[in-house]
Amino acid sequence: MKIKTGRQEPAGQGEHDDEPLTPTARLFTAPEFNCYITAVIGLKSKINRDVFIEGLEQTLLKHPRFSSILVNDSSQEQKWVRTKVVAGDHVIIPKIELEDANADAFLESYVSDLTTIPLDTSKPLWEVHLLDLKTSDAQNVVVLKIHHSVGDGMSLMSLVHACTRKTSNHEELPSLPNENRLSSKSMAGYSRLIWMVMLVWNTLCDALKFIATTMFLKDTDTPIKGDFRLSKSKRMCLVHRTVDLEDIKLIKNAMKMTVNDVLLGVAQAALSEYLERRYGEKEKKAGEHESKRNSSNMLKEIRLRACLLVNIRPTTGDLANMMAKGSKCKWGNWIGYMLFPLSLALHDDPLEHLRRVKSIIQRKKNSLEALLTFTSTKILIKMLGVV
């Protein structure tokens, strides 16, 4: 696969230059949130700055979201307005002096620092950092920082897909796997009835839990519970670990799950071990055996939930043309979320975490919770604004 730099007409060029922000994009630009998407890409070869900028000019800059700025009109409504973009203004090449410092640790510190530096709102809300840094995984590193109001993960994946071609055929887009979503149309009459009843029941239960969460049902105070309104004096620390995707796929196939399910199960197991260790350290005076038993009991009493973002587009089969007018696969922030209850426990069989995750996710897939949260958030922002 390679980046395509041939000249093409930009997708969506015929659309209006000015476009109001969607409710979700307004939420992401609020000072309390101000969300960014940060991606770290490792390369096997050195980066040629001039070639890289030329590639940006022929691909990224042709898309309206990456060549528009946020402005407030006379009614204080935020809009996307097309502007002239100089690609070099968005490409940052820092001077790196490592000496005896560890390259991986430097990268983590560099990306962590980026979370504290806001983007310049007088320019389109994205930038690229080219790091001449040899890490344990790559010869050079590219760091992308994009404001979340520009689009969600699926939108950015469509952009990458549209900007690449097969190495075997430079005019052909990379192939994507076909989706096999379960549909009520493919079921027999009785099974379809059961499916619809469970859909309504699961959606109703999830809706009640969602309402309860917004009103009074909060997570237990634990060492990992924080405040998203971080003060300026606090710095977010990003730590990464590299895992082999083939290992993840091996587990996925054996357990008949998805890659996301496996990663969620691993995260649940890791959080269980971490909290058990933290609580165990506080109870060392009670004796080693008693301490472990007490901390294990405490884990069962903890209410800890994850917020899983879900793509709610009816189709993802038109990724390459997402920016084009009339595309069935829409650009933007089309994401709902699901509240996932983490089952904290210490199991002799680590696969038990994966089984529990699979069971919950299967039920969540037969629910309209993600669509419900997306719609309710959209309505509330339109009526009340971002508060």
Side-chain angles (χ1 to χ4, degrees):
M1 186 181 299
K2 72 170 189 175
I3 299 295
K4 181 176 176 64
T5 58
R7 296 184 178 276
Q8 288 185 330
E9 290 300 319
Q13 184 71 23
E15 298 180 1
H16 297 296
D17 288 343
D18 297 354
E19 184 178 352
L21 263 69
T22 62
T24 307
R26 288 169 55 195
L27 179 65
F28 283 135
T29 58
E32 295 84 359
F33 294 93
N34 202 22
C35 293
Y36 295 95
I37 297 174
T38 304
V40 180
I41 304 173
L43 304 177
K44 291 184 178 180
S45 58
K46 294 286 185 179
I47 303 172
N48 186 313
R49 180 182 182 275
D50 295 336
V51 173
F52 190 86
I53 290 178
E54 181 184 356
L56 291 178
E57 291 173 346
Q58 302 306 322
T59 54
L60 203 64
L61 299 192
K62 291 182 177 291
H63 293 276
R65 284 292 182 275
F66 291 86
S67 57
S68 300
I69 59 174
L70 281 179
V71 298
N72 293 328
D73 61 13
S74 56
S75 62
Q76 293 302 309
E77 181 181 4
Q78 289 181 305
K79 291 184 177 182
W80 294 109
V81 178
R82 295 293 291 269
T83 186
K84 183 176 178 60
V85 183
V86 179
D89 293 343
H90 293 263
V91 178
I92 300 171
I93 305 179
K95 184 178 180 180
I96 300 176
E97 296 180 357
L98 278 183
E99 297 180 356
D100 296 330
N102 181 277
D104 292 339
F106 175 86
L107 177 60
E108 291 178 351
S109 177
Y110 187 90
V111 177
S112 297
D113 289 338
L114 281 183
T115 65
T116 65
I117 305 173
L119 291 173
D120 184 357
T121 56
S122 65
K123 300 186 297 184
L125 300 178
W126 62 274
E127 62 186 21
V128 183
H129 297 252
L130 306 182
L131 307 184
D132 187 8
L133 184 69
K134 184 177 181 180
T135 67
S136 58
D137 302 312
Q139 293 293 324
N140 264 193
V141 177
V142 176
V143 181
L144 304 177
K145 183 177 180 180
I146 304 170
H147 201 282
H148 216 315
S149 60
V150 172
D152 56 18
M154 188 60 69
S155 296
L156 300 180
M157 286 171 59
S158 76
L159 185 62
V160 172
H161 183 243
C163 293
T164 56
R165 295 295 184 269
K166 290 182 177 179
T167 54
S168 58
N169 185 348
H170 297 170
E171 299 300 322
E172 188 176 344
L173 288 167
S175 302
L176 293 176
N178 295 324
E179 291 182 299
N180 294 317
R181 293 186 176 182
L182 183 63
S183 172
S184 61
K185 295 180 180 179
S186 62
M187 301 178 185
Y190 180 74
S191 298
R192 186 186 305 176
L193 177 61
I194 296 297
W195 180 85
M196 292 182 65
V197 170
M198 293 306 300
L199 177 69
V200 173
W201 173 253
N202 291 338
T203 302
L204 178 61
C205 292
D206 291 334
L208 293 176
K209 291 178 182 178
F210 172 70
I211 295 173
T213 298
T214 59
M215 299 180 65
F216 62 87
L217 191 62
K218 307 302 179 184
D219 284 356
T220 306
D221 289 331
T222 63
I224 63 173
K225 184 178 180 180
D227 186 356
F228 74 94
R229 295 182 176 88
L230 295 174
S231 64
K232 294 182 179 180
S233 61
K234 294 184 178 180
R235 177 175 176 269
M236 182 182 295
C237 181
L238 300 179
V239 180
H240 79 279
R241 290 292 181 272
T242 302
V243 296
D244 193 333
L245 184 58
E246 293 303 318
D247 292 340
I248 301 296
K249 288 182 177 179
L250 177 64
I251 301 173
K252 172 187 80 76
N253 295 331
M255 300 290 293
K256 297 182 179 179
M257 307 169 67
T258 66
V259 169
N260 285 341
D261 294 346
V262 175
L263 295 177
L264 185 57
V266 171
Q268 179 175 276
L271 288 173
S272 298
E273 293 285 347
Y274 174 76
L275 289 176
E276 188 276 332
R277 185 171 69 249
R278 288 293 299 269
Y279 287 123
E281 290 174 353
K282 295 181 180 180
E283 300 180 0
K284 283 184 178 179
K285 295 181 180 179
E288 183 177 353
H289 178 72
E290 187 67 22
S291 173
K292 186 173 183 178
R293 187 179 66 180
N294 291 342
S295 58
S296 298
N297 291 334
M298 292 183 68
L299 290 180
K300 297 178 181 179
E301 298 174 358
I302 292 175
R303 180 190 298 116
L304 182 63
R305 292 164 295 175
C307 183
L308 305 182
L309 300 182
V310 181
N311 170 50
I312 63 169
R313 294 173 177 84
T315 177
T316 57
D318 196 25
L319 285 179
N321 298 317
M322 185 180 285
M323 293 297 297
K325 189 174 182 179
S327 172
K328 295 180 180 180
C329 194
K330 298 181 179 180
W331 179 276
N333 285 285
W334 291 83
I335 47 178
Y337 62 87
M338 302 186 303
L339 295 177
F340 182 88
L342 292 165
S343 178
L344 300 179
L346 299 178
H347 299 295
D348 294 331
D349 181 6
L351 294 181
E352 184 61 28
H353 284 288
L354 300 180
R355 297 187 187 100
R356 296 196 177 193
V357 166
K358 180 180 178 180
S359 175
I360 297 175
I361 289 297
Q362 288 295 338
R363 195 197 71 82
K364 290 284 186 179
K365 288 180 179 179
N366 192 19
S367 170
L368 299 177
E369 180 182 7
L371 183 61
L372 176 67
T373 55
F374 172 81
T375 304
S376 60
T377 301
K378 185 176 180 179
I379 293 174
L380 288 174
I381 294 177
K382 279 189 175 182
M383 294 177 57
L384 306 176
V386 180
V387 294

